[in-house]
Each structure stands twice: as C-alpha cells, then as structure tokens.
Amino acid sequence: MLLKMLITNTKVGRNTKALVASVSERKLRHPDAMTAVFTSVDSISNKLATILESPAVDELAITEKEVLLESLMEMNQGLLQCMGVSHASIETVIRTTLKYKLSTKLTGAGGGGCVLTLLPT
C-alpha cells in the first residue's frame, strides 16, 4: 500500500542514549505498566504491518485502511508519550496537524527530531 506522508523536522536535537536510559528507569519504577505499554506498541506495529501488506482492491478499501492507520498512529503516539519520549516541539506539530484532522506521530527514538503525518489520498 502506498502512503502519502509529510515529514516535519522539529529541528530539536535529541540524545538517544539519555532517552533510552529514561525509558529504562521508567520501566524499573513501573514494570507492569511499562510492560503493558511495550506489549501494546508491539501489537500496534503488527497490526500496521498486516494492513500495509494486505491488498486494497479499490479506493474505498484504501480509505478504510487509512482510517485504521490514523487510529493506530494516534494510539502509538499516546503510548510513546507514556514512555516519556515525546517532546514539546513534537506535541506542537501534533496539535497543528490535528486542526486539519491529520494523524501525526514521532519517528525514531523521539525527544525531538522528525514526525510523520499521514496525508489522505
């Protein structure tokens, strides 16, 4: 499935090592909750892969897939926020794209860097 994505660079540098350490510390303090978050992220990733790999027979099927992808992106971003890897600049982009009913999520380790916005076909 071909997707149209907008990549926005927040131009905020990040320290991946510090972010990983912060997530590890959060997992030590809240092991059950963080395990549930990681399990949910894995489930979303698997569902996303299934959607992208399944054929879309017509434009309606593509639109339905986009709706599913939007909700998965939003859930994933919420989980990444729970992990503590979002950033104020990322949240600003998300609020801005939300005004246009677009789904956006951070890329990579978070803490700044780029975000992806799904553009409908």
Side-chain angles (χ1 to χ4, degrees):
M1 177 177 177
L2 295 175
L3 298 175
K4 291 182 184 179
M5 302 292 278
L6 172 67
I7 301 172
T8 305
N9 186 348
T10 65
K11 297 188 178 180
V12 172
R14 60 187 179 267
N15 181 338
T16 302
K17 184 177 178 179
L19 285 168
V20 169
S22 173
V23 172
S24 294
E25 175 60 30
R26 192 172 285 212
K27 184 164 179 15
L28 286 173
R29 283 182 286 149
H30 309 287
D32 294 339
M34 289 299 284
T35 296
V37 169
F38 292 138
T39 300
S40 296
V41 168
D42 187 54
S43 174
I44 288 170
S45 299
N46 291 331
K47 180 66 174 173
L48 179 81
T50 300
I51 291 168
L52 292 176
E53 292 170 356
S54 66
V57 293
D58 57 26
E59 287 186 34
L60 181 60
I62 291 170
T63 301
E64 290 171 353
K65 283 185 171 191
E66 286 175 348
V67 169
L68 292 172
L69 294 176
E70 288 170 352
S71 63
L72 291 170
M73 286 177 64
E74 290 166 5
M75 286 188 287
N76 182 258
Q77 178 61 32
L79 293 166
L80 294 168
Q81 289 168 333
C82 289
M83 286 183 198
V85 297
S86 194
H87 184 275
S89 64
I90 291 169
E91 298 304 317
T92 298
V93 175
I94 291 169
R95 282 191 306 277
T96 302
T97 60
L98 192 57
K99 291 178 187 177
Y100 300 95
K101 299 183 180 181
L102 299 173
S103 298
T104 302
K105 69 171 293 304
L106 65 83
T107 63
C114 295
V115 295
L116 293 175
T117 302
L118 179 63
L119 301 175
T121 50

